[in-house]
Amino acid sequence: MSIKVAIVPVTQYQQNCSILKCESSGKAAIVDPGGDVARILDAVAQMDATVEKILLTHGHMDHCAASDVLRAQLAVPIEGPEREDAFWIDKLPESCQMSGFPHADAFVPDRWLEDGDTVTVGEQTLQVFHCPGHTPGHVVFLHEGQKLAWVGDVLFQGSIGRTDFPRGNHADLVASIREKLFPLGDDITFIPGHGPTSNFGHERKTNPFVADENYG
Amino acid sequence: MKTMAELDPLRQEFLEQTAQISWRELQPYYARGAVVLVAPGMDLVEIAAQLRLDNKQRFEEWLAEGKVSGVTDAVAASLFEENPTVWAVVVAPWVLVQRITTDDA
């Protein structure tokens, strides 16, 4: 038994919120609940899952604005991102107002994550990789058995995350992708924060921002 | 503006693919950092063609002159509020976006 995943695009940014269910225990995590709580909970019900935690890749509003509401409603902890993203979470009310998102309060996760940590979902274990660049505290989750990664806004099919934010850094982002993610294997499928899934091998060949041919 | 028959195949392709769309429908692309704003009065099809041709020097000039630009948070907030209909054309992985002016109507 392994995991089952449902992707629920949420908010006007169509951010890929995921429900990750451990099939043997029925326990689940909600990854990056940026908004649209009713749609997320509907997906959870359709999977017949019991949510035991919320996982966050980073502190941008489209990835985390519904976290605190869900934490209170489901009485579950929030794990992630890495502590350097605290300033983004603190700015949630301002960011939401500026971009036409429903109001969200700032919050403090129950557990900040670090590179090399693991998180559990039921009987499943995910590895945590600190991948700064898009935001300084961005993390990526990997389920090794299923060869599946949640990369947030680090990497997209055919593109990479923005780095024109406060404390964004293009060189750090490229290093995160090429030095931390690509060595995990060409056969790792990834769920990005926006748009379709892909795999690292395909991006190494075709992604104009991080392809092997551009880096000797 | 040149007629379709006067354009080369590359520019014809982009002209055929250029369409009007509301800003809010483009927000998922903005969230991915894929939207490039083109100043009113610029030839959107020509800019698409030069982007496809990877004319780095021309693009750097346009960037320096403010004729093409990324979308700042402040500009995105204004566009969200107003939700204008804009011209858009895809030059993967980018989406070029230009505000519609009265001259276009």
Side-chain angles (χ1 to χ4, degrees), chain A residues 39-202:
Chain A
R39 294 184 60 224
I40 293 170
L41 294 178
D42 188 46
V44 170
Q46 284 185 32
M47 294 177 81
D48 193 23
T50 303
V51 176
E52 66 169 8
K53 65 182 59 175
I54 294 161
L55 298 176
L56 299 181
T57 60
H58 66 294
H60 281 165
M61 63 187 173
D62 53 325
H63 291 254
C64 74
S67 301
D68 202 31
V69 169
L70 281 167
R71 171 165 65 178
Q73 191 168 337
L74 301 173
V76 297
I78 298 171
E79 299 188 13
E82 201 265 357
R83 192 181 295 273
E84 290 293 316
D85 266 19
F87 79 102
W88 276 117
I89 298 174
D90 289 343
K91 290 203 315 185
L92 266 180
E94 176 192 338
S95 302
C96 288
Q97 182 184 22
M98 190 172 163
S99 302
F101 273 56
H103 173 80
D105 289 323
F107 62 89
V108 178
D110 298 276
R111 179 188 177 196
W112 295 109
L113 296 174
E114 295 179 6
D115 193 57
D117 279 350
T118 59
V119 296
T120 58
V121 181
E123 297 170 11
Q124 309 299 319
T125 300
L126 306 180
Q127 296 174 41
V128 175
F129 297 86
H130 181 212
C131 291
H134 178 66
T135 67
H138 202 301
V139 296
V140 164
F141 300 105
L142 172 70
H143 187 280
E144 197 167 18
Q146 204 93 347
K147 295 188 178 299
L148 183 62
W150 286 261
V151 303
D153 286 355
V154 169
L155 179 65
F156 303 118
Q157 183 197 69
S159 186
I160 61 175
R162 290 172 58 186
T163 54
D164 58 333
F165 297 115
R167 299 189 61 196
N169 185 298
H170 181 78
D172 286 352
L173 182 63
V174 171
S176 290
I177 295 166
R178 289 196 51 82
E179 294 168 20
K180 285 195 171 175
L181 298 186
F182 285 175
L184 298 173
D186 288 352
D187 56 350
I188 302 289
T189 296
F190 67 87
I191 298 173
H194 306 269
T197 61
S198 180
N199 64 61
F200 292 157
H202 182 74

Side-chain angles (χ1 to χ4, degrees), chain B residues 1-18:
Chain B
M1 180 184 286
K2 290 180 179 176
T3 64
M4 184 77 90
E6 293 171 323
L7 294 173
D8 62 63
L10 179 64
R11 288 164 180 80
Q12 274 187 31
E13 178 190 335
F14 284 126
L15 183 59
E16 288 167 358
Q17 293 172 0
T18 300

Side-chain angles (χ1 to χ4, degrees), chain B residues 34-48:
Chain B
V35 174
V36 175
L37 282 182
V38 175
M42 295 294 289
D43 184 341
L44 185 61
V45 169
E46 182 59 25
I47 290 179

